[in-house]
Amino acid sequence: MSAPPASQDQLIQRFGLQPHPEGGYYRETHRDAARVAREGTIGGPATHAASTAIYYLLCDNAYSAWHRIRSDEVWHFYAGSPLDVHVLEDGGGLTTHRLGNALAQDDAVFQAVVKAGCWFAAERSDPAGFSLVGCTVAPGFEFSEFELADTDSLLATHPRHATLIARLAPAARR
């Protein structure tokens, strides 16, 4: 017998989630003890955790606003509604990964990769309910390497996607 679906408040409490600056809720679940050198850090080379992992929850009207990080990020689907991860490509293109239950939905994948340095945002494909996912970053995530987008700059470089960019703009811009 399967358990009844959890509410978003139950998920936030059960997994100890807290608000994330890009929107939604998160909790770091792993920070690798292994260290790797990171070139190009202000002030010279630095070391980072080899990898990090988080739980990430989108619910209510929350979305993951346009941002980028310096490392590759692998998104993993766990439960709830599918999640669309939008990635702005060099040259003005757009790729959307539908993260969801790939056994139940032909257009969904369990995992999607966002390459280092790409601008990306995420939203639930179904506004009701929630999406519980995980993200793994290697080399490990550091908030010092996290950048929320300047919406006007994104609109200038990707004008074909103006509606999507405006809809998922960082909160200060909306």
Side-chain angles (χ1 to χ4, degrees), residues 1-170:
M1 179 185 301
S2 63
S7 73
Q8 63 196 40
D9 292 334
Q10 290 170 321
L11 292 170
I12 291 166
Q13 183 177 7
R14 178 174 181 178
F15 295 112
L17 306 177
Q18 55 190 301
H20 196 291
E22 76 197 41
Y25 297 88
Y26 83 107
R27 180 173 65 95
E28 186 173 275
T29 58
H30 174 71
R31 181 165 289 273
D32 199 327
R35 306 295 289 178
V36 295
R38 180 67 158 195
E39 296 296 326
T41 303
I42 295 175
T47 62
H48 286 342
S51 67
T52 55
I54 65 168
Y55 288 133
Y56 184 63
L57 175 70
L58 282 179
C59 54
D60 297 327
N61 294 319
Y63 57 89
S64 170
W66 294 104
H67 66 286
R68 66 181 173 185
I69 61 175
R70 283 190 63 204
S71 300
D72 287 353
E73 183 168 11
V74 182
W75 288 62
H76 314 266
F77 179 77
Y78 297 138
S81 302
L83 187 72
D84 289 335
V85 180
H86 306 289
V87 182
L88 295 173
E89 308 290 347
D90 291 337
L94 171 74
T95 298
T96 297
H97 304 281
R98 166 83 31 106
L99 203 62
N101 184 344
L103 299 177
Q105 298 155 318
D106 289 339
D107 64 342
V109 296
F110 284 119
Q111 297 177 352
V113 177
V114 176
K115 293 303 222 173
C118 289
W119 291 107
F120 66 103
E123 62 183 334
R124 285 174 293 127
S125 62
D126 174 3
F130 66 88
S131 297
L132 179 63
V133 301
C135 298
T136 303
V137 177
F141 177 82
E142 298 292 339
F143 270 105
S144 64
E145 297 178 348
F146 168 85
E147 180 183 4
L148 278 171
D150 174 78
T151 305
D152 291 334
S153 295
L154 284 186
L155 290 169
T157 57
H158 294 80
R160 290 186 337 208
H161 310 294
T163 301
L164 180 64
I165 290 169
R167 186 173 74 238
L168 302 177

